Each structure stands twice: as structure tokens, then as C-alpha cells.
């Protein structure tokens, strides 16, 4: 097996074709360093967008000390639990491309669902806001700016929803970001691919756009793409569990899910007065009398809300409202976010990111929301 | 913060294979909540219906609402908007007929598609065939088709169809689900019966274990006695039932384990029922002091230890899994003693001495000896010591002069809490004082000596109060000095936490957790959450206001007032022995700083006044 990648290959299960490494190299080395490249990766589901992004990240990290990563895939984000839109600054090569790892993002917003279809306009606004932040902090410094600041290359990872509204959203993102490089990964089933060429441009084009079209990594003997099917729900649950695993020291021996579930049930939670916190459901209207019925045992985004309605509710992470004591007027919240970052959190955003049920039904500690005797459709 | 994903897919799949996977994630906290919603949803009162719809929207926001509930709620909500169903109400804001028809039609389409999608095995069968298989009225299928592809059906048609749809939903989901809920209906009587029969079985298993040679007739005899105690009205029935049960219980260890497990499973939702059932059994089994000579009670006849030996084993076994049971038993007994005592003093009966034949007096005697026995059991069971402190307080608080049993129990408790502490000494002193009072002065309570004592303790209490006040003021100034940083205290780590399932609140001991009350309490609270504009500021204000209020209370209070607060406020909240006190003593953390010993001092001072 030829591995033309310049990196030595520490993840033998991942095969990076020559076409891919050439594409990554051309993004990293063909351009001048200022302005740095902005690369957007797109393509249908399971074609290998994430794997390519990870590879590109490692290649870029050989030329740049830090690389920015804008994740727009709320269903399967790279560095955060599901439901987030985030900008992460990466400064370390991750040698093993198979294992995703969590990182604390530089900036993130909680969208609160695993698909942009729940609220496309908010989804776009959030992405634009995070991109604006990148432009301001890491790209295109004006005259007289602090010369010490470094411009960083950007990788934009996109979801695999490329039909219907998903396509429209992708076009909107492409137009707003106007990347220097667009990597389009094609699969053999042509009707599932994005249109050929620079599909997002309506004729007029400003600046140079490098469109790199590559094929998915694996093909069978008939040259058909072999897609790596993933159980999205399972991956999401694993993501959330890995996130809450961070509530415990890494040297704690928690390898099984039931150990984690027990540890979470026993963990001393944060206590926050209900009166000092605003509670908001992102996608549902909840009558004010019912808020606690809605909130108990649910996952929330921990955000800070300013009185300025223009400002977006930036998030610091996820929390699990593990209990509500209405008599004492406190919420009990589990979160790996350190207390210092929690201080400014005054808004709990509830969405449709669900707690993995395996965390709710460990022997001896079964949550009341895991009910027996439930009639299921016969 | 960087972590590898440590969990493998196999682990999840493994877990899903476990039988517990039969459980499903639901948006309601328990079946009671579901039943209330069902009943209100189909009631004739618009207010009830509205409240059910509100709760269902909360369920919807949790993201795991069964489609049948969602559609039921939609149809009922549309009917609420339909002038046809709102006789006598104003139709000002009513929708046009076309809009109403559209709404009905959409709900029916969602019903057919949503339910059929779940049941249709393969795409091969047509919607109509699949719908037929689960008995959806044909009319609804046709409306789905017409509404999607042809003309919008007339309001009259879809309105009638909505009634049919609701009927079908009731027969397909609501009624069968209602019937499959364990212990549903007629309050908790079924659960109570279940608990009692399980406890009875358990007692017999142990009896059989202890004396395998015991004759069946003996067992039966005992059995009948129990039956009589439980429901004397239908002796025959219980006798028959008892026979069945006695033969069922083979007395094997496996059996015991099984019954215990099922009881433990019930404990999380029916703890109070279990506590009262156990208590009932214990009291019945207890040899009443009424028929015993008081002085010789312990030496002659069956002792409490021998009578309750079986129960001791049961309780210890139960408590190994659920230590809270014992604590709850102790609390209940002491509460009973308190109420009996209060009733006696209300009736003007002398607490001690006087006529020994007084029934209430004997009840207190019985309860006190039961309490002493339970404390004895406590020493063999593994119960977190911290939760005992509160019991000790209560015990000291209500033990009447001369109730030697309670005093001894208190001493015993103090020993259990900490062998080395000065706590024991104090309790010892107190009990000596108490008894010497009694011995010296006989039954007459009010003597000059006592009065002197009282005055002294008043002084002591006043001193403690001053101390408290001082600390409150100190704390207040330090708080205002913090000023702007105050809002940073919004997020604090809980001081203590007992493991409990997610979605529940911890109990004082054990890990079963208790169900939270999720209703909004009062308007005050509501305003703060929803209409609050400046979160950090208002929080600060409220914290300050509380402190001042508390201080005022302290300023005005007399010793008597303080006693009232200690009794009424301080000890009602039994969940958290140290943090939970909501009386005036809990001022921004001052409570803890006072220290347990000082607290006990205050209490004993107050206690002596009684």
C-alpha cells in the first residue's frame, strides 16, 4: 500500500490516497502565508469530509503554528459535543486520525439540535457570527493593528446534507465565507454529489477560487465509492458521554459506560439559584408554569446573555440539569466547565440534544424518566 | 482540555442487550403525572384541558414525546379553537372555517402517517393496508389522501373525523397504556397492599429459615394473627390468602432476596408507604406496656428484643441496601411521640406520674421503647453517621422529663455519632440533670429550683442569641464589602451530595433519591425567572434583603420566639441535616459557623425551659 503522505502514518486504518494528500499539500503550500488559506470542505454524507479535514489540519500545522477550525456540522462536530457551532484554535498535530478528540473551542454557540433544518436562519446567523469573529481576530488585520498578532489559516467543515435546504445553506455559507480553497469530495453515485464546478457562484466572481475536486478514498472493484456507514445516534451518544467524562480526573478508572453513569449520579453538582438564571428553550414554546417539567434531567447549553439583544449568547459548554429543588430554589447542574468560566453563565439554553439513555438506567440508579411498562407500537 | 473518546461502541451495544433495556425514555416523571394528564385531557373542564395541554407542551420540549400523545393534544387543542365546541363563549378571535379545516386535516394526516410509519414493517405494504392492520378508521385514511392530493375536505367532515380519531387514540393508546401501568387507580391502596403482603412474606421466610422444623399449624396460627391485624373485617378471606402465601414462601434465601429486591424497587417511589407499613407491623408485634407491670417490664415476659428478632434481621438487610429506611422509621416514631405528647399536654394530663393507666402514656412508652430498639438496630446497620445528628436533636427536643427510654436512646445516638466527642458528655449531663430533677422533686414539676434553672438557661440562650447576631452583622458587612463580586457566587459546588438518579433529588441517606416537585412555587418566583431584566443585580438585592430581614427577626425576637423558630422552622426540613435549615439561623452560611456543639447548647438551653 503506497502511502505518499508526508506524515508517517500512525493510523494504519486510515488510508489517505495520493489525490488527497496532493490536495492538502496544495492548500498548505501553494499560497503565500498572508493572507492564509481558508479552506472549505464539502460533499455528501459519509464521503470522508471529516477525515480529509483532519488530514488537512495536520498538514497545515506543519507550516503554521496554529490553525483555526470552523465547525458547521451540528450533528457530528469535530471538537465539541453535538449541537454546537464552534471555532477552535488547534496547535497540536493529532497523529491518530481515527479517534476524534474533544477540545475547548475558542468561541462557540449552542444551536441545540443535530440538524440545521430545525432553524436554518439562526443556524446561518450563528455561523456568520463565528466567522466574523475569526476575521476580526485571526485574519486581515488593518493598518496600525498590533503586529504581534498572527494570521491563521482556517478549515471549514460542513455537514453532509447537500440536498434541498441543506444545499441552499451550503451555498449561503460558501458565499459568506468566500474561501480561497473549496475541496469537494465526490462519490461514485453522481446524483448524490454536489453540482460540478463552482456551483455557489452566480456568474460574477471576485478573487481567485481554487476548486479542488477529489474522490472519496475507497472504491471497490467497480470503482464505486465505499462509504463508511456510521450510526449517527450512537456516535452522538459517545460524544456526549466523552464530554461529561471530563467532569472526572483523567486518571480515574472510568472505562465502562455504567461506571460513568454511576460516577455522574454520585458527583457533587454545581448549585445555582433559579432566580439568578434565565432559562430558555431554543426550539419550543414552554409555558412558564411548566419550565421545570421541561428542564429537569435535560442537557443545556451554558451561555451568557447580555442585556444587549444584538449580542449573541456565547456558550462555554454543556451542562446537565441533574435535579431541581423548587423549595430551596436551586438547580443542580453537572458540567465539566471549570467554575471560573461558569461565573458569567446566566442563561441555560435547552434544545433537543438528549442525554444518552445508557447514562440514565444503570443498575441501582435508574432515572424516573426511564420508565417500564411503556406501550410501544406493536 | 483534551480527551480521547474512551468508550467503545461495543460497550453500548452490550448494555443495550441487558434486560433493563426494556425501559424507555419518557418525558413524564412518573405514571401519576401521565394519569393526571390523561384524566384532564379528556375532562369536560376547559381549565383542566388547558393545564393538560400545557404539560404536554413541556413534554414535547423534552424531545421524546410519543406521536400518539402529540396528535391527541393537537386535535384537542384545535377543538378548543373550534366555535362548534365552545358554546356560549365569544367567537371573536375564532378562525375561519377553512383555517379550521386545514388544522384538523393536518392533525389527521400527522396521526395517520405518524402512527403508521411506526408500525409499517416494510415500505411494500400500502398505507391503507398498514392502517387497517391497527384499526385506524378508514375515514381518516381517506382524509389523509384527499387532504394531501386533492381538495381540502369540508370542515364538517374533518370535525367528525377528529372525534373518530380521538376515540381511536383512546382505544389504541390511552386506555391500554392506562391498564398496563402497575398499581394504577384507587390512590395508593394497591401499593400498600402489595407492600404489606411482601413484608409478610418476608417475615415468614425468615421465620422458616430460623426454625425449619416449625410445624405448619404454628405458622398458620401466627399467620391468622397477622391477618386479623391487617383487615379484621374479612377474616376468612385473609385466612385463605394467608394459606396461599405461607405455602408459596419456601423460605429459601433466594426467595428472601427476591422479595427484598422488589421491595427495594418500590422504595424509590413509595418510601413513606413502606415506612408506615413496617412501622405498623412493628407496633403490632410489640408487647404493649399497658398489660405489663411497668417496673418489671424488661425482666419478666417477652422482651422487645426477642419479639422483634425477626424484624431486626429484615430491617438490617433492607438497610444495607437502603439505609434511609431506618432513619425514616426513627423519624416517624419520634414524630409520633411528639404528637402524642402534645395531645397529652393539651388534655392537661401530667406528662409523668399520675395515673399510669393512661392510654396515651402507654402509647408513648411503647413508642419510646420501639425507638430505643430501633436505635439498637441502628448500631448494627451501616447508616451514615452524619444524618443521625438531627435525630439526636429531635430526640432531646421532645423527650419529656423522666422519659428515661428516650434519654437513653439519645445517649446511644450520641455514642453512635462519635465515640470520642464531647457530645456524649453533654447528652449525659443533660440526662442526669433531667433525671435528678425528677428524682429530687418527684412528680411536681414547678419548683423554685426549676425556676432558677430556667432563668439561667434563659440567660444562656440570650447570650447565644447575641453571639449569633454579632456574627450575622459581621457576615453582612463582609458581604457588602464583596459588593460587585457577589454575583460570582452564582455557581457553587454543592456542599454535600448523596448519589441519586439523574432527575431526582438526593435523600438524607441511601441512593434511591426522591422525586422532585417541579411546580412553580408562588408568583414571586415566577417573576424572578421570566421577567427578570437584570439577573446579577436582582440576585444581589435579594441576597441582601434576606440578610436584613433575618437580622430584624433576630433583633425583635425574645428567647421564646427563638424557641419557636428552632422548633417550627429549624427541624421540619429533614432532607439535609445541616444545610437545610430554613429558620432564621441560616443566614448566608452563618449556620455552619455557629457549629454543631453551640447549636446543641442552644437547644439544650431551650429544652430545659420546657
Amino acid at each position: 500500500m503506497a502511502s505518499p503522505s508526508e506524515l508517517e502514518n500512525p493510523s494504519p486504518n486510515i488510508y489517505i490516497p495520493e489525490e488527497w494528500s496532493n490536495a492538502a499539500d496544495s492548500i498548505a503550500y501553494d499560497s503565500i502565508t498572508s493572507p492564509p488559506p481558508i479552506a472549505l470542505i464539502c460533499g455528501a454524507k459519509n464521503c470522508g469530509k471529516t477525515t480529509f479535514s483532519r488530514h488537512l489540519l495536520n498538514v497545515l500545522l506543519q507550516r503554521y503554528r496554529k490553525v483555526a477550525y470552523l465547525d458547521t456540522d451540528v450533528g457530528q462536530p469535530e471538537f465539541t459535543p453535538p449541537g454546537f457551532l464552534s471555532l477552535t484554535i488547534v496547535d497540536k498535530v493529532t497523529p491518530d486520525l481515527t479517534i476524534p478528540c474533544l477540545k475547548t473551542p475558542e468561541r462557540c454557540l449552542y444551536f441545540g439540535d443535530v440538524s440545521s433544518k430545525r432553524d436554518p436562519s439562526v443556524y446561518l446567523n450563528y455561523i456568520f457570527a463565528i466567522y466574523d469573529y475569526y476575521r476580526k481576530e485571526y485574519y486581515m488585520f488593518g493598518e496600525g493593528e498590533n503586529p504581534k498578532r498572527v494570521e491563521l489559516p482556517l478549515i471549514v467543515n460542513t455537514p453532509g446534507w447537500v440536498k434541498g435546504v441543506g444545499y441552499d445553506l451550503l451555498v449561503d455559507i460558501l458565499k459568506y465565507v468566500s474561501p480561497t480553497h473549496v475541496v469537494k469530495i465526490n462519490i461514485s453515485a453522481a446524483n448524490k454529489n454536489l453540482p460540478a464546478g463552482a456551483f455557489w457562484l452566480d456568474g460574477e466572481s471576485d478573487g481567485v477560487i481554487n476548486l479542488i475536486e477529489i474522490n472519496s478514498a475507497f472504491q471497490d472493484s467497480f470503482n464505486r465509492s465505499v462509504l463508511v456507514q456510521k450510526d449517527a445516534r450512537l456516535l452522538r451518544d459517545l460524544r456526549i458521554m466523552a464530554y461529561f467524562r471530563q467532569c472526572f480526573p483523567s486518571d480515574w478508572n472510568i472505562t465502562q459506560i455504567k461506571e460513568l453513569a454511576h460516577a455522574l449520579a454520585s458527583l457533587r453538582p454545581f448549585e445555582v439559584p433559579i432566580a439568578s438564571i434565565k432559562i430558555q428553550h431554543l426550539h419550543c414554546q414552554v409555558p412558564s408554569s411548566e419550565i421545570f417539567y421541561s428542564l429537569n434531567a435535560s442537557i443545556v447549553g451554558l451561555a451568557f446573555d447580555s442585556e444587549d439583544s444584538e449580542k449573541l449568547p456565547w456558550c462555554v459548554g454543556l451542562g446537565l440539569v441533574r435535579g431541581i429543588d423548587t423549595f430551596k430554589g436551586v438547580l443542580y447542574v453537572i458540567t465539566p466547565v471549570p467554575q471560573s468560566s461558569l461565573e458569567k453563565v446566566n442563561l441555560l439554553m435547552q434544545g433537543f440534544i438528549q442525554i444518552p439513555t445508557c447514562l440514565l438506567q444503570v443498575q441501582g440508579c435508574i432515572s424516573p424518566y426511564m420508565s417500564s411498562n411503556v406501550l410501544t407500537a406493536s | 482540555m483534551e480527551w480521547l473518546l474512551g468508550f467503545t461502541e461495543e460497550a453500548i451495544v452490550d448494555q443495550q442487550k441487558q434486560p433493563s433495556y426494556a425501559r424507555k425514555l419518557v418525558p413524564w416523571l412518573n405514571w401519576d403525572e401521565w394519569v393526571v394528564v390523561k384524566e384532564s385531557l379528556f375532562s369536560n373542564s376547559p381549565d383542566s384541558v388547558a393545564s393538560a395541554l400545557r404539560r404536554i407542551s413541556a413534554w414535547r420540549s423534552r424531545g421524546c414525546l410519543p406521536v400518539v400523545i402529540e396528535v391527541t393534544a393537537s386535535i384537542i387543542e384545535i377543538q378548543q379553537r373550534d366555535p362548534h365546541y365552545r358554546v356560549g363563549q365569544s367567537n371573536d378571535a375564532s378562525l375561519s372555517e377553512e383555517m379550521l379545516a386545514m388544522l384538523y386535516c393536518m392533525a389527521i394526516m400527522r396521526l395517520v402517517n405518524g402512527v403508521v410509519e411506526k408500525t409499517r414493517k416494510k415500505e411494500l405494504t400500502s398505507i391503507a393496508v398498514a392502517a387497517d392492520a391497527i384499526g385506524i378508521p378508514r375515514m381518516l385514511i381517506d382524509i389523509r389522501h384527499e387532504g394531501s392530493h386533492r381538495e381540502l375536505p369540508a370542515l364538517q367532515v374533518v370535525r367528525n373525523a377528529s372525534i373518530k380519531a380521538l376515540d381511536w387514540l383512546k382505544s389504541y393508546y390511552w386506555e391500554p397504556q392506562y391498564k398496563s401501568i402497575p398499581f394504577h387507580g384507587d390512590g395508593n391502596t394497591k401499593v400498600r397492599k402489595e407492600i404489606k403482603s411482601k413484608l409478610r412474606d418476608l417475615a415468614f421466610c425468615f421465620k422458616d429459615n430460623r426454625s425449619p422444623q416449625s410445624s405448619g399449624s404454628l405458622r398458620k396460627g401466627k399467620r391468622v394473627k397477622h391477618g386479623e391485624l391487617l383487615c379484621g373485617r374479612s377474616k376468612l378471606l385473609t385466612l385463605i390468602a394467608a394459606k396461599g402465601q405461607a405455602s408459596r414462601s419456601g423460605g429459601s434465601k433466594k426467595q428472601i432476596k427476591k422479595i427484598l429486591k422488589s421491595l427495594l424497587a418500590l422504595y424509590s417511589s413509595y418510601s413513606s408507604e413502606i415506612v408506615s407499613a413496617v412501622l405498623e407491623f412493628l407496633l403490632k408485634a410489640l408487647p404493649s406496656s399497658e398489660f405489663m407491670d411497668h417496673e418489671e417490664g424488661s425482666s419478666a415476659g417477652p422482651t422487645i428484643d426477642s419479639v422483634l428478632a425477626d424484624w431486626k434481621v429484615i430491617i438490617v438487610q433492607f438497610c444495607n441496601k437502603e439505609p434511609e429506611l431506618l432513619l425514616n422509621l426513627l423519624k416517624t416514631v419520634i414524630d409520633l411521640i411528639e404528637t402524642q405528647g402534645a395531645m397529652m399536654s393539651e388534655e392537661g394530663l401530667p406528662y409523668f406520674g399520675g395515673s399510669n393507666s393512661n392510654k396515651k402514656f402507654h402509647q408513648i412508652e411503647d413508642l419510646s421503647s420501639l425507638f430505643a430498639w430501633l436505635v439498637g438496630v441502628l448500631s448494627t446497620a451501616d447508616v451514615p453517621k452524619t444524618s443521625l445528628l438531627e435525630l439526636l436533636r429531635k430526640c432531646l427536643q421532645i423527650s419529656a422529663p423522666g422519659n428515661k427510654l428516650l434519654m437513653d436512646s439519645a445517649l446511644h445516638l450520641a455514642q453512635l455519632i462519635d465515640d470520642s466527642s464531647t457530645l456524649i458528655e453533654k447528652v449525659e449531663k443533660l440526662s442526669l440533670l433531667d433525671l435528678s430533677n425528677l428524682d429530687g422533686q418527684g412528680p411536681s414539676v414547678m419548683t423554685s429550683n426549676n425556676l432558677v434553672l430556667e432563668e439561667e438557661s434563659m440567660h444562656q440562650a440570650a447570650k447565644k442569641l447575641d453571639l449569633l447576631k454579632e456574627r450575622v452583622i459581621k457576615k453582612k458587612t463582609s458581604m457588602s464589602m464583596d459588593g460587585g463580586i457577589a454575583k460570582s457566587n452564582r455557581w457553587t459546588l454543592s456542599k454535600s451530595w448523596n448519589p441519586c438518579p439523574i432527575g431526582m433529588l438526593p435523600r438524607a441517606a441511601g441512593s434511591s433519591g426522591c422525586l422532585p416537585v417541579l411546580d412553580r412555587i408562588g408568583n414571586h418566583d415566577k417573576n424572578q425567572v421570566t421577567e427578570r431584566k437584570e439577573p446579577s443585580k436582582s440576585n444581589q438585592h435579594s441576597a441582601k434583603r434576606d440578610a436584613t430581614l433575618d437580622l430584624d427577626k433576630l433583633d425583635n425576637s425574645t428567647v421564646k420566639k427563638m424557641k419557636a423558630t428552632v422548633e417550627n422552622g429549624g427541624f421540619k426540613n429533614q432532607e439535609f441535616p445541616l444545610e437545610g435549615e430554613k429558620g432564621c439561623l441560616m443566614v448566608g452560611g452563618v449556620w455552619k459557623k455557629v457549629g454543631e456543639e453551640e447549636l446543641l447548647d442552644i437547644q439544650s438551653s431551650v429544652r430545659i425551659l420546657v
Side-chain angles (χ1 to χ4, degrees), chain B residues 175-188:
Chain B
E175 290 307 327
Q177 176 64 81
Y178 184 70
K179 287 198 183 94
S180 66
I181 301 171
F183 315 122
H184 75 89
D186 38 270
N188 286 330

Side-chain angles (χ1 to χ4, degrees), chain A residues 246 250 268-269 271 281 288 290 292 294 296 322 326 339 345 354 358 361 367 369-371 373 375, chain B residues 1 3 5 15 20 23-24 26 31 55 61-63 177 490-492 494 500 502-503 517 519-520:
Chain A
Q246 298 173 113
S250 53
R268 267 198 306 155
E271 211 178 285
H281 200 296
S288 67
E290 309 293 316
F292 302 136
S294 167
N296 192 26
R322 64 102 62 239
T326 47
Q339 192 163 7
V345 171
Q354 266 178 8
C358 42
Q361 53 173 345
S367 171
Y369 295 101
M370 294 305 298
S371 179
N373 306 91
L375 272 200
Chain B
M1 236 209 270
W3 292 95
L5 215 84
Q15 213 190 20
S20 64
R23 289 176 180 273
K24 272 198 80 177
V26 294
W31 283 112
R55 181 60 49 81
S61 76
R62 301 181 63 86
Q177 176 64 81
R490 190 159 35 202
W491 292 82
T492 49
S494 291
C500 68
I502 286 167
V517 175
D519 295 300
R520 301 289 291 268

